[in-house]
Amino acid sequence: MKSQKYTVTGMTCSACSAHVEKSVRKIQGMKEVTVNLLTNSMQVSYDEALCNERMIIEAVEKAGYGANLCGSRERNGKDQEGREALKGKKQNAEMKTRLIISIIFMLLLMVVSMHHMIFMWLNIPVPELFMKLFHGNENAITFAFTQFLLVLPIIYVNRKYFQNGFKTLLNRNPNMDSLIAVGSGAALVYGIFAIYRIGYGLGHGDEALVSRYASDLYFESAGMILALITVGKYLETRSKGKTGEAIEKLMDLSPKTALLLMEDGTEKEIPTEQLLQGDRFIVKPGSLIPVDGVIEEGTSSINEAAITGESIPVEKRPGDTVVSATMNKAGRLICRAVKVGEDTTLSQIIRLVEEASASKAPIARLADKIAGIFVPAVMGIAVITFAVWLLAGGGFEEAMSSAIAVLVISCPCALGLATPVAIMVGTGVGARNGILIKSGDALQSARDIDTVVLDKTGTITEGKPKVTDIVCYDEEPDEDVVLSLSAAIEKPSEHPLADAIVAAARERKLTLPDVQEFQAIFGKGVMAKCKGQWCFAGNKAFMEENGVSVSAQQEAKMEELSEDGKTPLLFAREKQLSAIIGVADTIKETSRSAIEEFHRMKIDVVMLTGDNKRTAEAVKRQLNVNQVIAEVLPEDKEKEIRRLKEEGRKVAMIGDGINDAPALAAADVGIAIGAGTDVAIDSADIILMKSRLTDAITAIRLSRSVIRNIKQNLFWAFFYNVIGIPLAAGVWYPVFGIRLNPMFGAAAMSLSSLFVVLNALRLRGFKGSLEEEMEETAQTHADAEFAEVKKENQEEKKMKKVMTIEGMMCAHCTGRVQKALEEIEGVESVVMSLEQKSAEITLSAEVSDVVLKAAVTEAGYEVVEIQ
């Protein structure tokens, strides 16, 4: 069995990718085919005895598309051109140029073709130039030919619609391009036909014929169809351009060079890809580890957040393994390379992201599914209409006019705009709420999510350790004293738990005393002299080594903290345990409410984490998570996502670290926390910029609203055709004498497009933010509580005032101020405080601050504040 990846060119919609997949799957010996429209790629697995590369490429070409075998990925930049093609920068620029040219010439075309209506609407007279060139039957050829010339640039820059549309039509697999080509082409052909008829009328003096066809030019319809569809295509192309950035940033994460330790003990800097298995290399403090290996010399703390997602660095010693792309925080290490090149952990993550992205099943849009039936049906109706009118004796012109009316009224504008306009508005609404949605596929898929998989660190939790508990055992317990002393001896340490303790002391604005004789014992703790006493901070073993006993009660407290997912740090002075300090990665305020809302929406919640089982189970108990899987590596997360998908679930993965990238790519919808890594963000389909888990709820609600809106748009597009096509074909002519002029068909087409756009714009009023609901509920409760408290304490607030007074130096000063205040009518009593430099006044009636201030000022003192 052989697996290969191909680049497929010429695909424009999901009907294209489905046809390529169907064509290749027919090859004998083909086992598996996955075509990805977003990356223009195809992954195949086949039996080499029955199938080969040539047969695969020929099958794709027979379907009307192009195919090339992808080369292997190189790290030295040789494949940069391929990655640029993946990102679609060239296509993006081409689409922008097409859009600008189409809009400019469409506006000019509209001005010429509808100048009389435009100037009438603006309430200004028609310019003399327009009167001379375009008014009257004598100028009919000039009027028609000018429109023809203006539509030509639009036709030319959008010729791909015609090339792809008619090619797929000839291959009996019409797609959205076929609809565009047939609709705009019909209007164009009819316009050219009208020019000939105008010429004939002018040559034979038939004024009625000239007048009729001069008003029956539909070049503006052809231009409008192409321009409006190009707007939607441009937005789609822009979203495609970002698919390769995740892999690029993963590649850039690995250090470009490594320090090779030579046999003679010297160091040599070489490119990372030149490191071989068994080579010895050096990693200095603050440097990234280039490849997977084993430590031979040195000890250090390694920040493995990039791979495991764990926010607390892991202590490493000789014999321990190190992983590529992780950071050496402290000591100098000498390591031996074990996995190099494509075998490193980082390379495997890159491979998983690539495979997960390529294996995503294309989301079949309803419009593309129906297009295969709709286009031939419409063309068949047009041919039948033409034939019936001829057989009924209606004449060639009537038959032609009715057939063209059928094609024009069934123009794909409404059908083509139904999805992209709603998606454009929906993504704009998402951005307004801090939710960036990368593609319409993600927006569509989020609607059906029934299982949410959450990463713990940085997603459910803050991602930074904080002090949560201080349990004192001193005879006179004082948390501030314990915290200031422990922070003082921890400050010189580089351990992340030390950073948490120092940060807690700073939050309380505590002064840290000086320390002497600081010592850090690797893997155990720190000790130093502080205020003349030996102070110790570390684990239980460190305490016992230094003669500090830990009682059974204190051990039980440590176990209790550990069960809650917290790390207990012991602090002792001399030989006495003073406190146990609990440090943990705290849960975000919004996580609990988000998970509760997931449950209410009948969505299962699964937590995947690289943390230990005890910490994970603690978070599960606190948040009522359905299922938790701990101590998992990146590839295990991705496997778990695939397992859930194989059970038939629609899975959303929410994460923030590089370790989450494969899982984010493998999920039906990958959702990244905005405060996470760039790689996670680029691997995801949806980004929560405010880093709030509650915004994932909003994203799912928005998805459901948008898809509902799209279905309404599609219903209108087809309902309009069901009503309009029979009318255009002349079905009601024998009964009611109603026959649709192609001009009205074009107008109906425009109105149908307008209806679709206006319906999509209703999404701008979307209000589905859980955060807003929580704020409104909290505000309502707060308002009610405030009103109650205000009502209960209104009299007391009116009867109490506290004055801060400067200048009082002794008891005589306070006496003078007190006497001056008590003499004021309405003052019931005055309580003076020389230490606080204040006067607490109880009033029996309303007394203004001005009166109180004047009395104190007259007594010779200064009033600073009145509360």
Side-chain angles (χ1 to χ4, degrees), residues 451-460 594 598 606 608 637 641 651-657 660 663-664 667 669-673 684 686 688 692-697 700:
T451 303
V452 170
V453 180
L454 304 175
D455 173 53
K456 182 186 79 70
T457 306
T459 302
I460 295 176
F598 279 131
V606 178
L608 294 181
K637 290 187 180 183
I641 295 292
V651 182
M653 170 70 192
I654 307 178
D656 72 321
D660 300 317
L664 287 168
V669 179
I671 304 176
I673 297 296
I686 298 174
L688 310 180
R692 299 184 309 206
L693 199 54
T694 49
D695 285 341
I697 303 289
I700 294 173

mmCIF file of all heavy atoms in Angstrom, residues 451-460 594 598 606 608 637 641 651-657 660 663-664 667 669-673 684 686 688 692-697 700:
data_model
loop_
_atom_site.group_PDB
_atom_site.id
_atom_site.type_symbol
_atom_site.label_atom_id
_atom_site.label_comp_id
_atom_site.label_asym_id
_atom_site.label_seq_id
_atom_site.Cartn_x
_atom_site.Cartn_y
_atom_site.Cartn_z
ATOM 1 N N THR A 451 -19.973 17.524 20.766
ATOM 2 C CA THR A 451 -18.934 17.215 21.749
ATOM 3 C C THR A 451 -17.858 18.290 21.698
ATOM 4 O O THR A 451 -17.351 18.593 20.614
ATOM 5 C CB THR A 451 -18.285 15.838 21.476
ATOM 6 O OG1 THR A 451 -19.309 14.824 21.471
ATOM 7 C CG2 THR A 451 -17.240 15.502 22.528
ATOM 8 N N VAL A 452 -17.518 18.847 22.849
ATOM 9 C CA VAL A 452 -16.463 19.852 22.933
ATOM 10 C C VAL A 452 -15.309 19.266 23.737
ATOM 11 O O VAL A 452 -15.502 18.791 24.865
ATOM 12 C CB VAL A 452 -16.962 21.148 23.606
ATOM 13 C CG1 VAL A 452 -15.797 22.069 23.901
ATOM 14 C CG2 VAL A 452 -17.965 21.864 22.711
ATOM 15 N N VAL A 453 -14.128 19.279 23.138
ATOM 16 C CA VAL A 453 -12.919 18.790 23.815
ATOM 17 C C VAL A 453 -12.095 20.007 24.229
ATOM 18 O O VAL A 453 -11.758 20.842 23.393
ATOM 19 C CB VAL A 453 -12.101 17.864 22.887
ATOM 20 C CG1 VAL A 453 -10.853 17.373 23.599
ATOM 21 C CG2 VAL A 453 -12.949 16.685 22.439
ATOM 22 N N LEU A 454 -11.786 20.087 25.530
ATOM 23 C CA LEU A 454 -11.088 21.254 26.061
ATOM 24 C C LEU A 454 -9.690 20.901 26.534
ATOM 25 O O LEU A 454 -9.500 19.890 27.226
ATOM 26 C CB LEU A 454 -11.864 21.846 27.247
ATOM 27 C CG LEU A 454 -13.328 22.238 27.029
ATOM 28 C CD1 LEU A 454 -13.940 22.682 28.347
ATOM 29 C CD2 LEU A 454 -13.425 23.351 26.008
ATOM 30 N N ASP A 455 -8.725 21.724 26.157
ATOM 31 C CA ASP A 455 -7.412 21.657 26.786
ATOM 32 C C ASP A 455 -7.518 22.340 28.144
ATOM 33 O O ASP A 455 -8.326 23.256 28.316
ATOM 34 C CB ASP A 455 -6.390 22.378 25.899
ATOM 35 C CG ASP A 455 -5.033 22.498 26.575
ATOM 36 O OD1 ASP A 455 -4.505 21.471 27.015
ATOM 37 O OD2 ASP A 455 -4.523 23.628 26.681
ATOM 38 N N LYS A 456 -6.742 21.894 29.131
ATOM 39 C CA LYS A 456 -6.857 22.489 30.465
ATOM 40 C C LYS A 456 -6.052 23.778 30.598
ATOM 41 O O LYS A 456 -6.598 24.858 30.826
ATOM 42 C CB LYS A 456 -6.397 21.502 31.549
ATOM 43 C CG LYS A 456 -6.548 22.075 32.974
ATOM 44 C CD LYS A 456 -5.970 21.158 34.012
ATOM 45 C CE LYS A 456 -4.456 21.264 34.099
ATOM 46 N NZ LYS A 456 -3.989 22.557 34.667
ATOM 47 N N THR A 457 -4.731 23.653 30.429
ATOM 48 C CA THR A 457 -3.848 24.780 30.718
ATOM 49 C C THR A 457 -4.034 25.906 29.719
ATOM 50 O O THR A 457 -3.836 25.725 28.520
ATOM 51 C CB THR A 457 -2.376 24.321 30.721
ATOM 52 O OG1 THR A 457 -2.234 23.224 31.611
ATOM 53 C CG2 THR A 457 -1.462 25.462 31.143
ATOM 54 N N GLY A 458 -4.426 27.070 30.205
ATOM 55 C CA GLY A 458 -4.589 28.243 29.360
ATOM 56 C C GLY A 458 -5.951 28.339 28.704
ATOM 57 O O GLY A 458 -6.308 29.394 28.188
ATOM 58 N N THR A 459 -6.715 27.249 28.727
ATOM 59 C CA THR A 459 -8.062 27.268 28.154
ATOM 60 C C THR A 459 -9.100 27.312 29.268
ATOM 61 O O THR A 459 -9.880 28.252 29.384
ATOM 62 C CB THR A 459 -8.295 26.032 27.259
ATOM 63 O OG1 THR A 459 -7.302 26.015 26.233
ATOM 64 C CG2 THR A 459 -9.668 26.070 26.628
ATOM 65 N N ILE A 460 -9.076 26.265 30.120
ATOM 66 C CA ILE A 460 -9.948 26.269 31.292
ATOM 67 C C ILE A 460 -9.322 27.100 32.401
ATOM 68 O O ILE A 460 -10.005 27.816 33.126
ATOM 69 C CB ILE A 460 -10.204 24.822 31.773
ATOM 70 C CG1 ILE A 460 -10.986 24.051 30.708
ATOM 71 C CG2 ILE A 460 -10.951 24.814 33.093
ATOM 72 C CD1 ILE A 460 -11.199 22.591 31.040
ATOM 73 N N ALA A 594 -19.346 28.647 31.197
ATOM 74 C CA ALA A 594 -19.306 28.125 29.831
ATOM 75 C C ALA A 594 -19.620 26.629 29.811
ATOM 76 O O ALA A 594 -20.407 26.157 28.981
ATOM 77 C CB ALA A 594 -17.942 28.388 29.205
ATOM 78 N N PHE A 598 -22.678 24.595 28.070
ATOM 79 C CA PHE A 598 -22.488 23.466 27.153
ATOM 80 C C PHE A 598 -23.433 22.319 27.537
ATOM 81 O O PHE A 598 -24.052 21.692 26.676
ATOM 82 C CB PHE A 598 -21.040 22.971 27.179
ATOM 83 C CG PHE A 598 -20.091 23.768 26.334
ATOM 84 C CD1 PHE A 598 -18.877 24.221 26.848
ATOM 85 C CD2 PHE A 598 -20.396 24.057 25.013
ATOM 86 C CE1 PHE A 598 -18.001 24.957 26.064
ATOM 87 C CE2 PHE A 598 -19.519 24.786 24.220
ATOM 88 C CZ PHE A 598 -18.323 25.237 24.756
ATOM 89 N N VAL A 606 -15.379 17.143 27.177
ATOM 90 C CA VAL A 606 -14.247 16.250 27.451
ATOM 91 C C VAL A 606 -13.010 17.114 27.674
ATOM 92 O O VAL A 606 -12.755 18.030 26.896
ATOM 93 C CB VAL A 606 -13.999 15.281 26.273
ATOM 94 C CG1 VAL A 606 -12.798 14.389 26.555
ATOM 95 C CG2 VAL A 606 -15.242 14.439 26.002
ATOM 96 N N LEU A 608 -8.945 17.185 27.838
ATOM 97 C CA LEU A 608 -7.684 16.510 27.537
ATOM 98 C C LEU A 608 -6.544 17.370 28.053
ATOM 99 O O LEU A 608 -6.522 18.576 27.818
ATOM 100 C CB LEU A 608 -7.515 16.312 26.031
ATOM 101 C CG LEU A 608 -8.488 15.378 25.317
ATOM 102 C CD1 LEU A 608 -8.121 15.302 23.853
ATOM 103 C CD2 LEU A 608 -8.470 14.005 25.932
ATOM 104 N N LYS A 637 -3.744 13.335 21.909
ATOM 105 C CA LYS A 637 -4.896 14.243 21.799
ATOM 106 C C LYS A 637 -5.530 14.108 20.422
ATOM 107 O O LYS A 637 -6.749 14.033 20.288
ATOM 108 C CB LYS A 637 -4.456 15.693 22.041
ATOM 109 C CG LYS A 637 -4.063 15.996 23.480
ATOM 110 C CD LYS A 637 -3.801 17.488 23.666
ATOM 111 C CE LYS A 637 -3.414 17.802 25.106
ATOM 112 N NZ LYS A 637 -3.229 19.248 25.335
ATOM 113 N N ILE A 641 -9.328 12.744 19.384
ATOM 114 C CA ILE A 641 -10.266 13.480 18.524
ATOM 115 C C ILE A 641 -10.781 12.563 17.421
ATOM 116 O O ILE A 641 -11.984 12.506 17.142
ATOM 117 C CB ILE A 641 -9.587 14.713 17.895
ATOM 118 C CG1 ILE A 641 -9.203 15.742 18.983
ATOM 119 C CG2 ILE A 641 -10.486 15.363 16.850
ATOM 120 C CD1 ILE A 641 -10.356 16.400 19.666
ATOM 121 N N VAL A 651 -17.137 17.009 16.526
ATOM 122 C CA VAL A 651 -16.231 17.404 17.609
ATOM 123 C C VAL A 651 -15.634 18.784 17.388
ATOM 124 O O VAL A 651 -15.153 19.099 16.293
ATOM 125 C CB VAL A 651 -15.090 16.372 17.754
ATOM 126 C CG1 VAL A 651 -14.170 16.740 18.911
ATOM 127 C CG2 VAL A 651 -15.662 14.976 17.959
ATOM 128 N N ALA A 652 -15.679 19.593 18.451
ATOM 129 C CA ALA A 652 -14.946 20.866 18.464
ATOM 130 C C ALA A 652 -13.819 20.741 19.480
ATOM 131 O O ALA A 652 -14.032 20.250 20.592
ATOM 132 C CB ALA A 652 -15.866 22.025 18.848
ATOM 133 N N MET A 653 -12.619 21.152 19.107
ATOM 134 C CA MET A 653 -11.466 21.140 19.999
ATOM 135 C C MET A 653 -11.125 22.580 20.352
ATOM 136 O O MET A 653 -11.003 23.433 19.463
ATOM 137 C CB MET A 653 -10.269 20.461 19.318
ATOM 138 C CG MET A 653 -8.954 20.607 20.071
ATOM 139 S SD MET A 653 -8.924 19.650 21.607
ATOM 140 C CE MET A 653 -7.451 20.329 22.399
ATOM 141 N N ILE A 654 -11.001 22.863 21.652
ATOM 142 C CA ILE A 654 -10.639 24.207 22.103
ATOM 143 C C ILE A 654 -9.309 24.121 22.837
ATOM 144 O O ILE A 654 -9.185 23.405 23.833
ATOM 145 C CB ILE A 654 -11.722 24.809 23.032
ATOM 146 C CG1 ILE A 654 -13.087 24.751 22.364
ATOM 147 C CG2 ILE A 654 -11.365 26.235 23.420
ATOM 148 C CD1 ILE A 654 -14.225 25.266 23.221
ATOM 149 N N GLY A 655 -8.287 24.832 22.327
ATOM 150 C CA GLY A 655 -6.964 24.783 22.944
ATOM 151 C C GLY A 655 -6.180 26.045 22.677
ATOM 152 O O GLY A 655 -6.642 26.957 21.987
ATOM 153 N N ASP A 656 -4.951 26.091 23.233
ATOM 154 C CA ASP A 656 -4.146 27.304 23.091
ATOM 155 C C ASP A 656 -2.674 27.041 22.843
ATOM 156 O O ASP A 656 -1.928 27.963 22.512
ATOM 157 C CB ASP A 656 -4.274 28.171 24.356
ATOM 158 C CG ASP A 656 -3.535 27.558 25.538
ATOM 159 O OD1 ASP A 656 -3.578 26.320 25.682
ATOM 160 O OD2 ASP A 656 -2.917 28.316 26.318
ATOM 161 N N GLY A 657 -2.211 25.799 22.989
ATOM 162 C CA GLY A 657 -0.773 25.536 22.890
ATOM 163 C C GLY A 657 -0.385 24.873 21.583
ATOM 164 O O GLY A 657 -1.226 24.395 20.824
ATOM 165 N N ASP A 660 -1.594 21.469 21.081
ATOM 166 C CA ASP A 660 -2.986 21.292 20.673
ATOM 167 C C ASP A 660 -3.164 21.381 19.154
ATOM 168 O O ASP A 660 -4.260 21.100 18.652
ATOM 169 C CB ASP A 660 -3.876 22.363 21.329
ATOM 170 C CG ASP A 660 -3.822 22.306 22.847
ATOM 171 O OD1 ASP A 660 -3.868 21.184 23.381
ATOM 172 O OD2 ASP A 660 -3.724 23.364 23.487
ATOM 173 N N ALA A 663 -4.584 18.322 17.195
ATOM 174 C CA ALA A 663 -5.974 18.075 17.587
ATOM 175 C C ALA A 663 -6.901 19.152 17.025
ATOM 176 O O ALA A 663 -8.009 18.867 16.584
ATOM 177 C CB ALA A 663 -6.092 18.008 19.109
ATOM 178 N N LEU A 664 -6.438 20.403 17.036
ATOM 179 C CA LEU A 664 -7.232 21.499 16.476
ATOM 180 C C LEU A 664 -7.482 21.268 14.989
ATOM 181 O O LEU A 664 -8.576 21.522 14.474
ATOM 182 C CB LEU A 664 -6.515 22.835 16.680
ATOM 183 C CG LEU A 664 -6.498 23.401 18.100
ATOM 184 C CD1 LEU A 664 -5.517 24.567 18.197
ATOM 185 C CD2 LEU A 664 -7.879 23.858 18.525
ATOM 186 N N ALA A 667 -10.015 18.136 14.417
ATOM 187 C CA ALA A 667 -11.409 18.285 14.833
ATOM 188 C C ALA A 667 -12.265 18.833 13.700
ATOM 189 O O ALA A 667 -11.765 19.438 12.754
ATOM 190 C CB ALA A 667 -11.483 19.215 16.053
ATOM 191 N N VAL A 669 -14.230 21.255 14.079
ATOM 192 C CA VAL A 669 -14.002 22.690 14.256
ATOM 193 C C VAL A 669 -12.917 22.867 15.305
ATOM 194 O O VAL A 669 -13.050 22.384 16.429
ATOM 195 C CB VAL A 669 -15.284 23.425 14.716
ATOM 196 C CG1 VAL A 669 -14.997 24.909 14.906
ATOM 197 C CG2 VAL A 669 -16.401 23.249 13.714
ATOM 198 N N GLY A 670 -11.809 23.528 14.930
ATOM 199 C CA GLY A 670 -10.745 23.839 15.878
ATOM 200 C C GLY A 670 -10.927 25.263 16.380
ATOM 201 O O GLY A 670 -11.037 26.197 15.590
ATOM 202 N N ILE A 671 -10.973 25.433 17.700
ATOM 203 C CA ILE A 671 -11.182 26.755 18.301
ATOM 204 C C ILE A 671 -9.980 27.078 19.169
ATOM 205 O O ILE A 671 -9.666 26.337 20.099
ATOM 206 C CB ILE A 671 -12.477 26.794 19.129
ATOM 207 C CG1 ILE A 671 -13.683 26.394 18.269
ATOM 208 C CG2 ILE A 671 -12.693 28.168 19.741
ATOM 209 C CD1 ILE A 671 -14.996 26.311 19.025
ATOM 210 N N ALA A 672 -9.286 28.178 18.862
ATOM 211 C CA ALA A 672 -8.075 28.562 19.598
ATOM 212 C C ALA A 672 -8.354 29.756 20.498
ATOM 213 O O ALA A 672 -9.093 30.670 20.130
ATOM 214 C CB ALA A 672 -6.940 28.896 18.624
ATOM 215 N N ILE A 673 -7.744 29.720 21.673
ATOM 216 C CA ILE A 673 -7.800 30.848 22.595
ATOM 217 C C ILE A 673 -6.853 31.924 22.083
ATOM 218 O O ILE A 673 -5.694 31.648 21.767
ATOM 219 C CB ILE A 673 -7.399 30.409 24.021
ATOM 220 C CG1 ILE A 673 -8.389 29.369 24.545
ATOM 221 C CG2 ILE A 673 -7.335 31.602 24.949
ATOM 222 C CD1 ILE A 673 -9.798 29.865 24.724
ATOM 223 N N ALA A 684 -6.262 26.578 13.972
ATOM 224 C CA ALA A 684 -7.684 26.560 14.332
ATOM 225 C C ALA A 684 -8.544 27.167 13.226
ATOM 226 O O ALA A 684 -8.066 27.878 12.352
ATOM 227 C CB ALA A 684 -7.891 27.314 15.638
ATOM 228 N N ILE A 686 -11.550 28.743 14.284
ATOM 229 C CA ILE A 686 -12.169 29.865 14.989
ATOM 230 C C ILE A 686 -11.224 30.316 16.092
ATOM 231 O O ILE A 686 -10.625 29.485 16.782
ATOM 232 C CB ILE A 686 -13.541 29.462 15.579
ATOM 233 C CG1 ILE A 686 -14.508 29.054 14.460
ATOM 234 C CG2 ILE A 686 -14.146 30.587 16.410
ATOM 235 C CD1 ILE A 686 -15.834 28.498 14.966
ATOM 236 N N LEU A 688 -10.850 32.772 19.537
ATOM 237 C CA LEU A 688 -11.529 33.559 20.568
ATOM 238 C C LEU A 688 -10.555 34.623 21.062
ATOM 239 O O LEU A 688 -9.696 34.363 21.902
ATOM 240 C CB LEU A 688 -11.980 32.653 21.727
ATOM 241 C CG LEU A 688 -12.770 31.400 21.325
ATOM 242 C CD1 LEU A 688 -13.163 30.597 22.560
ATOM 243 C CD2 LEU A 688 -13.999 31.769 20.513
ATOM 244 N N ARG A 692 -11.948 34.057 26.233
ATOM 245 C CA ARG A 692 -13.021 33.641 27.135
ATOM 246 C C ARG A 692 -13.677 32.386 26.578
ATOM 247 O O ARG A 692 -14.069 32.355 25.406
ATOM 248 C CB ARG A 692 -14.079 34.742 27.282
ATOM 249 C CG ARG A 692 -13.548 36.027 27.846
ATOM 250 C CD ARG A 692 -14.646 37.054 28.061
ATOM 251 N NE ARG A 692 -15.478 37.258 26.887
ATOM 252 C CZ ARG A 692 -16.136 38.386 26.649
ATOM 253 N NH1 ARG A 692 -16.072 39.380 27.522
ATOM 254 N NH2 ARG A 692 -16.882 38.520 25.565
ATOM 255 N N LEU A 693 -13.799 31.362 27.417
ATOM 256 C CA LEU A 693 -14.411 30.126 26.977
ATOM 257 C C LEU A 693 -15.883 30.335 26.636
ATOM 258 O O LEU A 693 -16.449 29.629 25.806
ATOM 259 C CB LEU A 693 -14.259 29.068 28.077
ATOM 260 C CG LEU A 693 -14.430 27.602 27.670
ATOM 261 C CD1 LEU A 693 -13.515 27.241 26.518
ATOM 262 C CD2 LEU A 693 -14.176 26.690 28.857
ATOM 263 N N THR A 694 -16.509 31.328 27.265
ATOM 264 C CA THR A 694 -17.917 31.612 26.982
ATOM 265 C C THR A 694 -18.121 32.045 25.535
ATOM 266 O O THR A 694 -19.215 31.892 24.992
ATOM 267 C CB THR A 694 -18.436 32.718 27.913
ATOM 268 O OG1 THR A 694 -17.515 33.819 27.910
ATOM 269 C CG2 THR A 694 -18.588 32.219 29.331
ATOM 270 N N ASP A 695 -17.078 32.566 24.897
ATOM 271 C CA ASP A 695 -17.210 32.988 23.495
ATOM 272 C C ASP A 695 -17.371 31.794 22.555
ATOM 273 O O ASP A 695 -17.838 31.940 21.426
ATOM 274 C CB ASP A 695 -16.003 33.836 23.073
ATOM 275 C CG ASP A 695 -16.071 35.244 23.646
ATOM 276 O OD1 ASP A 695 -17.172 35.672 24.045
ATOM 277 O OD2 ASP A 695 -15.031 35.915 23.712
ATOM 278 N N ALA A 696 -16.964 30.600 23.013
ATOM 279 C CA ALA A 696 -17.201 29.396 22.208
ATOM 280 C C ALA A 696 -18.701 29.131 22.111
ATOM 281 O O ALA A 696 -19.194 28.665 21.070
ATOM 282 C CB ALA A 696 -16.488 28.193 22.826
ATOM 283 N N ILE A 697 -19.434 29.425 23.183
ATOM 284 C CA ILE A 697 -20.896 29.308 23.167
ATOM 285 C C ILE A 697 -21.466 30.263 22.118
ATOM 286 O O ILE A 697 -22.328 29.902 21.311
ATOM 287 C CB ILE A 697 -21.480 29.653 24.550
ATOM 288 C CG1 ILE A 697 -20.872 28.762 25.636
ATOM 289 C CG2 ILE A 697 -22.995 29.554 24.525
ATOM 290 C CD1 ILE A 697 -21.296 27.353 25.610
ATOM 291 N N ILE A 700 -20.975 29.022 18.543
ATOM 292 C CA ILE A 700 -21.913 27.966 18.139
ATOM 293 C C ILE A 700 -23.296 28.554 17.880
ATOM 294 O O ILE A 700 -23.965 28.203 16.900
ATOM 295 C CB ILE A 700 -21.967 26.862 19.214
ATOM 296 C CG1 ILE A 700 -20.606 26.152 19.295
ATOM 297 C CG2 ILE A 700 -23.081 25.864 18.920
ATOM 298 C CD1 ILE A 700 -20.484 25.162 20.429
#
